[in-house]
Amino acid sequence: QVQLVESGGGVVQPGGSLRLSCAASGISFSRYTMGWYRQGPGKQRELVAAVTSGGRTNYADSVKGRFTISRDNAKNTVDLQMNSLKPEDTAVYYCNARAIFDFWGKGTLVTVSS
């Protein structure tokens, strides 16, 4: 079956960095657009960043210049490097695989707090 397993969440001070990773199995990974979404307290889930099968990336305006998404088709992983973190980045971060079907991970919590 399809599995998307996120890792790398935790607590970090403002200005700090974290790297999230998502390991995918059960899909033809290279054919999927892979994305990271987040849902903050009391907020709707929103797109953070995505990378297409061809390597094209797009980012939410709020994270441009701070976050970088990358994929490794040999390892079936997609990472999100998050720098200069702000308290408003606090959220559960979800990995998404999208082609004809949509698959989601269970999420990993990122807390940015002093």
Side-chain angles (χ1 to χ4, degrees), residues 29-87:
F29 182 83
S30 62
R31 297 182 180 182
Y32 280 73
T33 290
M34 299 301 298
W36 285 95
Y37 288 70
R38 68 185 180 187
Q39 187 165 14
K43 298 181 180 180
Q44 290 189 328
R45 191 174 296 189
E46 62 176 357
L47 174 68
V48 176
V51 55
T52 68
S53 58
R56 185 172 298 178
T57 59
N58 68 289
Y59 296 91
D61 287 343
S62 59
V63 306
K64 282 181 181 176
R66 300 189 297 124
F67 291 11
T68 303
I69 189 170
S70 60
R71 67 187 296 159
D72 186 332
N73 289 338
K75 296 181 179 180
N76 288 5
T77 58
V78 57
D79 291 351
L80 184 69
Q81 178 66 44
M82 306 186 294
N83 298 328
S84 303
L85 283 160
K86 304 175 181 180

Side-chain angles (χ1 to χ4, degrees), residues 4 6-10 18 20 35-49 67 80 82 85-96 104-112:
L4 301 177
E6 303 98 336
S7 61
L18 278 176
L20 305 183
W36 285 95
Y37 288 70
R38 68 185 180 187
Q39 187 165 14
K43 298 181 180 180
Q44 290 189 328
R45 191 174 296 189
E46 62 176 357
L47 174 68
V48 176
F67 291 11
L80 184 69
M82 306 186 294
L85 283 160
K86 304 175 181 180
E88 51 263 43
D89 294 318
T90 294
V92 178
Y93 284 71
Y94 297 91
C95 181
N96 170 261
W104 293 91
K106 294 183 178 180
T108 186
L109 177 63
V110 172
T111 302
V112 184

